[in-house]
Amino acid sequence: MKKYLLLCILSILVLVPLYVWLNGSLSRRWCPEVSLSDNSEPRNVTILLWHWTAERARAISQNMCWERFNIPHCKVMMQDAMYMKADVVVFHNLELSTGRMKLPLDLPRPPGQRWAWMSIQSPDNNGRLLREYGGVFNLTVSYRRDADVSIPYGGFVPREFGDPVDDIPMKKTDLVCWVVSHYKESFRRSQVYKELSAVIPVKVYGRWFNKTLAPNDLLPMISHCYFYLAFENSIGKDYITEKLWINSYQGGAVPVVLGPPVEEYEAVAPPHSFIHVDEFASVKELGEYLQELAGDAKRYGEYMQWKRDWKVQPTINKEWRLCQICLRYPSFPPHKVYTDLAAWDKAT
Ligand SMILES: *[C@@H]1O[C@H](CO)[C@@H](O)[C@H](O)[C@H]1NC(C)=O
Ligand SMILES: *[C@@H]1O[C@H](CO)[C@@H](O)[C@H](O)[C@H]1NC(C)=O
Ligand SMILES: *[C@@H]1O[C@H](CO)[C@@H](O)[C@H](O)[C@H]1NC(C)=O
């Protein structure tokens, strides 16, 4: 009996550690995602929105990146008390430029914390204070393609098998349509409009022309136009807004664009989907081209062909924009400082 007991104790002494060792090494080897004991679980990234207005912060909640976009390990906070723990502090330029909020330059920065400057406006509308922000920010969050976190107003992706193809609205009653709320003779877009309307009819809506449209009427109106003037309200690198992504593409009119150079549109918009004002020697030639196209169903249809292979995705949602910071977080350079933010913003 004693002999068996000894054998039993011995085998326990040998087998149990063997089992534990094997089990541990096996699970580490084959199931790395379940071995919670090592440090491989990604850390949570904490984003702090510094003094955002209640209006801007509406609908933003701590776990929204996971709940809305399945982006894990991302927390979005608004309490000042989180400052020492925040990985990224996001300053919204509009709050800075209006003087509603000041940079907390007196606060010590925890090691590794990054300050992000966020704006979705064009350089003309970013205000004059940018010059004072040299050496303050580590990251830029903007629609620009070269920002650390690029949050364009839209983009396009391949159409997947089974995705419905948008109908091409062919019941067109107007040749060219435009919606404008700020109009000044000196704006280039106003000049182009004036010259164009001398050649072909242009139907104009918007506050300036005392013909405001209810938001729900905008896209149906545009769907009746062959062409939509997607003229940006100011010219800036990569500044291509919902006038292209929503008004034109979703409205179902071919966009005539005025904004950054044609290459910048080509980099982000579906192929053969727009007409750039700068491609013509004169506005008169542009007008004649539009008239010709409207009378030629085949050539006009070629500007809609992209819909068979691509779909556009407007991205106007502020929650989505913020969550991109977490997505990009692992690839941020270990050290980066914008020594001259104003120069970066104005660069073309
Ligand atoms: C991240 O946050 C979640 C939810 O609050 C928590 O369960 C998890 O333990 C945190 N992870 C780390 C590595 O701190
Ligand atoms: C719109 O209405 C205002 C006030 O009635 C007028 O001064 C202005 O000239 C109108 N604009 C246009 C483009 O007709
Ligand atoms: C962020 O910018 C500050 C101020 O210039 C600098 O001291 C800090 O090292 C930078 N941090 C990172 C992670 O780049």
Side-chain angles (χ1 to χ4, degrees), residues 207-210:
R207 195 148 18 102
W208 175 259
F209 283 80
N210 299 327

Side-chain angles (χ1 to χ4, degrees), residues 152-171:
Y153 280 81
F156 69 103
V157 293
R159 185 171 290 288
E160 282 154 35
F161 182 75
D163 280 345
V165 178
D166 300 344
D167 286 340
I168 299 169
M170 289 308 274
K171 266 198 170 163

Side-chain angles (χ1 to χ4, degrees), residues 41-42 44 75:
E41 193 198 354
N44 290 322
K75 303 255 178 276

Side-chain angles (χ1 to χ4, degrees), residues 46-48 50 82-92 96 101-118 132-141 148-149 325 329 332-334 336-338 341:
T46 301
I47 297 179
L48 175 64
W50 191 258
M82 291 303 295
Y83 176 79
M84 289 309 285
K85 286 200 181 137
D87 299 297
V88 179
V89 185
V90 184
F91 299 90
H92 197 278
L96 289 168
M101 177 253 288
K102 288 215 177 336
L103 289 171
L105 293 170
D106 50 325
L107 290 181
R109 273 201 225 189
Q113 184 180 82
R114 292 174 171 93
W115 284 20
W117 176 83
M118 180 174 190
E132 295 169 24
Y133 301 152
V136 172
F137 293 103
N138 309 101
L139 301 172
T140 47
V141 185
D148 299 289
V149 182
I325 298 174
Y329 189 85
F332 289 155
K336 184 167 184 176
V337 178
Y338 282 82
L341 186 65

Side-chain angles (χ1 to χ4, degrees), residues 77 97 116 159 163 168-169 184 237 246 252 277 298 317 338:
M77 309 280 193
S97 65
R159 185 171 290 288
D163 280 345
I168 299 169
K184 252 192 211 154
K237 185 178 166 66
I246 297 180
V277 170
K298 184 171 169 289
N317 174 303
Y338 282 82

Side-chain angles (χ1 to χ4, degrees), residues 69-227:
F69 312 108
N70 277 12
I71 297 173
H73 307 292
C74 187
K75 303 255 178 276
V76 182
M77 309 280 193
M78 277 181 288
Q79 303 84 344
D80 286 11
M82 291 303 295
Y83 176 79
M84 289 309 285
K85 286 200 181 137
D87 299 297
V88 179
V89 185
V90 184
F91 299 90
H92 197 278
N93 185 67
L94 204 59
E95 258 92 300
L96 289 168
S97 65
T98 53
R100 217 197 55 77
M101 177 253 288
K102 288 215 177 336
L103 289 171
L105 293 170
D106 50 325
L107 290 181
R109 273 201 225 189
Q113 184 180 82
R114 292 174 171 93
W115 284 20
W117 176 83
M118 180 174 190
S119 173
I120 57 166
Q121 292 190 291
S122 66
D124 289 346
N125 292 315
N126 275 333
R128 279 152 214 259
L129 287 170
L130 250 56
R131 269 181 267 131
E132 295 169 24
Y133 301 152
V136 172
F137 293 103
N138 309 101
L139 301 172
T140 47
V141 185
S142 128
Y143 52 83
R144 273 179 47 178
R145 281 173 295 151
D146 59 355
D148 299 289
V149 182
S150 181
I151 45 168
Y153 280 81
F156 69 103
V157 293
R159 185 171 290 288
E160 282 154 35
F161 182 75
D163 280 345
V165 178
D166 300 344
D167 286 340
I168 299 169
M170 289 308 274
K171 266 198 170 163
K172 304 290 191 191
T173 48
D174 293 301
L175 183 62
V176 181
C177 303
W178 190 33
V179 176
V180 60
S181 43
H182 302 285
Y183 184 96
K184 252 192 211 154
E185 289 287 323
S186 60
F187 289 154
R188 178 156 178 238
R189 62 193 151 116
S190 310
Q191 290 302 319
V192 173
Y193 157 73
K194 269 176 75 178
E195 288 179 40
L196 193 62
S197 58
V199 187
I200 52 173
V202 179
K203 199 153 191 178
V204 191
Y205 294 86
R207 195 148 18 102
W208 175 259
F209 283 80
N210 299 327
K211 276 198 282 180
T212 45
L213 282 169
N216 287 341
D217 295 337
L218 179 68
L219 297 187
M221 182 283 285
I222 293 172
S223 73
H224 293 295
C225 314
Y226 282 93
F227 302 100

Side-chain angles (χ1 to χ4, degrees), residues 122-123 143 234-240 259-261 264 348:
S122 66
Y143 52 83
S234 62
I235 311 291
K237 185 178 166 66
D238 294 330
Y239 188 64
I240 299 172
E264 292 182 23
T348 53

